[in-house]
């Protein structure tokens, strides 16, 4: 059966859900899920809205960043992530907490010109009119200047093959700034067109936010790293080696950074920030010298383990969907945030905490030991265990030679049979 999706965007919510139910042959119970998670105001945010998609939200604890304690809301579907963040932060807290540095917070956008016979000459014309073009940029979003932000400078880059990028740097204040910057860029592109007698190929912000870098460091006495039978000094050396491997091997670097993004994305989602924007910028930054590398480094002198992470984090506390996302606003309250840079600082520290916990587990007991209990819990729930059955199924699964779905389903079936027999 093929339902009619023509003019789908013009249909009401009830019509849309009915069409999807017909197309996918959904049961009444399945269709009821649309209603269960439906938030009417969200139909104003995205197109063809059906329903919301819930993800678990929890709190990471133990964070001390620049002498200030934080509890960190995280939205993630992955078990162990919040436990690891809290665990990493706890170790760092014992050594005084994270120290962060944020020197600048500007967004950059590009106006790309093409088919230039003499890019250097065009660049010269642009830079000669920099002051006027910055005025044009500010006029496209005047409220930003009133708030103390606004267009700051231009830069030109000859990209080769006749392409020239005109980069506009803007202080976007408390917002992430994508939309504001795009409006400014389109206005500047018109003036550039008049000045250079060219048509811009495109005008858009760059997610490679190199003017919004934020750094976190921590210095840990090696004694704090002791794990089971592994002495702290040895753990520190192994973490430093793991860090080296993430610098020289992209296969390892990708996983090293994935662990860091477990925290960054979870906080970005919890605060209504655009995590795709952060992902693309961070991975571009990880490959800034031509090779993809870990974004954090760990070194040791035998007494102390020093961790450093630097990330482009152009996050906002206003703008985008934040204003209509009650939970994003609530999470700002939980964090006690005053400014956007403060959010960036907590976020970068979270990335380093996540990384510390992952590396410490990896080079000692292995990642699975910590993960396994939570993974088994997910497995038992996926296999249909009820809240009452869960502890028994988990206990049996831990002893089972195979820990897979079939085994779990078998254990649940046996448990239910035994219960039936006892009830009889
Ligand atoms: P908005 O378009 O929502 O603009 C920011 C809003 O916040 C403005 O309305 C501004 O008001 C208001 N505001 C209130 N207080 C402040 C303050 N102190 N500082 C700054 N602004 C303030 O959001 P952004 O421009 O931040 O754009 C972010 C959105 O853009 C995200 O949803 C993102 O997903 C999306 N996006 C991302 C792209 C990318 O990453 N490549 C591309 C395009 C869009 P006023 O108008 O009075 O200034």
């Amino acid at each position: 059966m093929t339902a009619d999706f023509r003019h789908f965007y013009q249909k009401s919510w009830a019509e849309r859900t009915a069409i999807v139910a017909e197309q996918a042959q959904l049961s009444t119970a399945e269709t009821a899920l649309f209603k269960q998670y439906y938030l009417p105001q969200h139909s104003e945010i995205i197109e063809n809205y059906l329903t919301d998609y819930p993800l678990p939200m929890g709190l990471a604890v133990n964070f001390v960043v620049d002498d200030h304690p934080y509890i960190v809301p995280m939205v993630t579907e992955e078990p162990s992530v919040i436990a690891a963040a809290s665990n990493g932060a706890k170790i760092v807290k014992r050594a005084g907490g994270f120290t962060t540095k944020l020197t600048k917070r500007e967004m950059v956008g590009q106006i790309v010109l093409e088919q230039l016979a003499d890019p250097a000459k065009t660049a010269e014309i642009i830079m000669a009119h920099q002051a006027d073009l910055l005025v044009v940029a500010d006029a496209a979003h005047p409220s930003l200047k009133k708030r103390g932000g606004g267009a700051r400078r231009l830069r030109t880059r000859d990209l080769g093959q006749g392409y020239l990028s005109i980069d506009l740097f803007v202080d976007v204040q408390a917002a992430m700034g994508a939309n504001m910057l795009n409006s400014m860029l389109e206005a500047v592109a018109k003036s550039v067109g008049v000045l250079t007698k060219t048509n811009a190929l495109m005008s858009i912000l760059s997610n490679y936010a190199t003017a919004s870098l934020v750094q976190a460091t921590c210095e840990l006495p090696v004694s704090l790293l002791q794990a089971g039978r592994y002495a702290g000094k040895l753990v520190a050396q192994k973490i430093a080696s793991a860090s080296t491997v993430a610098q020289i091997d992209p296969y390892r670097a990708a996983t090293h950074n994935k662990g860091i993004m477990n925290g960054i994305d979870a906080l970005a989602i919890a605060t209504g920030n655009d995590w795709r924007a952060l992902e693309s910028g961070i991975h571009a930054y990880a490959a800034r010298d031509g090779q993809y590398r870990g974004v954090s480094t760990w070194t040791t002198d035998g007494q102390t383990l020093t961790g450093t992470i630097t990330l482009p984090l152009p996050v906002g506390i206003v703008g985008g969907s934040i204003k209509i996302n009650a939970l994003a606003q609530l999470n700002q309250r939980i964090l006690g945030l005053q400014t956007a840079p403060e959010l960036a600082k907590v976020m970068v520290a979270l990335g380093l905490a996540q990384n510390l916990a992952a590396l410490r587990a990896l080079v000692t007991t292995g990642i699975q030991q910590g993960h396994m209990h939570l993974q088994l819990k997910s497995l038992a729930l996926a296999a249909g265990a009820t809240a009452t059955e869960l502890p028994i199924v988990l206990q049996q699964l831990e002893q089972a030679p195979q820990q897979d779905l079939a085994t779990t389903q078998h254990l649940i079936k046996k448990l239910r049979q035994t219960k039936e027999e006892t009830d009889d």
Side-chain angles (χ1 to χ4, degrees), residues 141 143 147 172-180 205 207 274 318-320:
H141 201 103
S143 50
R147 292 197 177 95
V172 289
Q173 294 286 291
M176 178 261 198
N179 287 320
M180 297 193 290
L205 96 156
N207 289 110
D274 182 338
V318 294

Side-chain angles (χ1 to χ4, degrees), residues 121-137 153-156 166 168 188 191-197:
K121 180 76 196 151
T122 309
E124 208 179 293
I125 297 170
I126 302 292
M127 293 316 285
H129 291 85
Q130 173 169 207
D132 298 338
L133 292 170
L134 294 182
V135 171
V136 172
R153 63 198 157 101
L154 290 179
R155 172 181 74 182
T156 57
I166 304 163
L168 169 66
V188 174
S191 301
V192 165
V194 174
L195 281 173
T196 62
K197 301 185 179 50

Side-chain angles (χ1 to χ4, degrees), residues 50-83:
L50 285 181
T51 190
D52 271 28
Y53 183 97
L55 285 170
M57 184 176 110
L59 282 182
V61 294
N62 304 322
F63 276 82
V64 175
V65 182
D66 299 326
D67 297 324
H68 191 92
Y70 290 94
I71 40 174
V72 183
M74 297 175 75
V75 173
T76 179
E77 84 299 348
E78 187 175 340
S80 304
V81 166
I82 293 178

Side-chain angles (χ1 to χ4, degrees), residues 45-275:
I45 305 184
I46 62 158
E47 307 73 37
N48 296 349
Y49 176 74
L50 285 181
T51 190
D52 271 28
Y53 183 97
L55 285 170
M57 184 176 110
L59 282 182
V61 294
N62 304 322
F63 276 82
V64 175
V65 182
D66 299 326
D67 297 324
H68 191 92
Y70 290 94
I71 40 174
V72 183
M74 297 175 75
V75 173
T76 179
E77 84 299 348
E78 187 175 340
S80 304
V81 166
I82 293 178
S86 304
N87 182 257
K90 190 174 177 181
I91 297 171
V92 180
K93 185 181 181 180
R94 287 191 187 131
F98 297 93
T99 306
T100 69
K101 202 164 66 182
L102 185 150
T103 42
K104 199 186 287 177
R105 210 185 99 83
E106 290 173 357
M107 276 302 267
V108 60
Q110 306 182 264
I111 299 162
V112 180
L113 304 184
E114 63 174 342
Q115 295 177 357
L116 298 179
D118 189 350
K121 180 76 196 151
T122 309
E124 208 179 293
I125 297 170
I126 302 292
M127 293 316 285
H129 291 85
Q130 173 169 207
D132 298 338
L133 292 170
L134 294 182
V135 171
V136 172
D138 280 335
H141 201 103
S143 50
L144 201 48
K145 198 164 178 191
K146 285 188 202 131
R147 292 197 177 95
R152 291 292 181 252
R153 63 198 157 101
L154 290 179
R155 172 181 74 182
T156 57
R157 286 177 304 120
D158 184 346
L159 305 180
Q161 300 178 37
Y163 296 102
L164 181 76
S165 179
I166 304 163
D167 300 340
L168 169 66
F169 291 85
V170 175
D171 177 342
V172 289
Q173 294 286 291
M176 178 261 198
N179 287 320
M180 297 193 290
L181 186 51
N182 288 342
S183 310
M184 294 166 102
L185 287 163
E186 286 183 9
V188 174
K190 280 192 192 133
S191 301
V192 165
V194 174
L195 281 173
T196 62
K197 301 185 179 50
T198 56
N199 281 323
L201 174 65
M202 64 176 87
S203 309
I204 178 93
L205 96 156
S206 168
N207 289 110
Y208 190 27
T210 51
S212 290
L213 294 179
V214 54
Q215 188 179 75
T217 51
C218 61
E219 291 192 3
L220 313 171
V222 294
S223 56
L224 291 179
L225 298 161
Q226 195 256 336
R229 61 192 167 86
Y230 297 90
K233 188 172 174 179
L234 179 65
V235 177
Q237 279 161 359
K238 283 173 173 281
I239 289 176
S241 295
S243 164
T244 303
V245 177
Q247 291 302 307
I248 60 179
D249 177 27
Y251 280 88
R252 176 58 210 146
T255 320
H256 181 98
N257 291 344
K258 191 274 177 184
I260 291 168
M261 296 315 295
N262 277 340
I264 306 288
D265 283 343
L267 179 54
I269 299 171
T271 52
N273 273 280
D274 182 338
W275 69 97

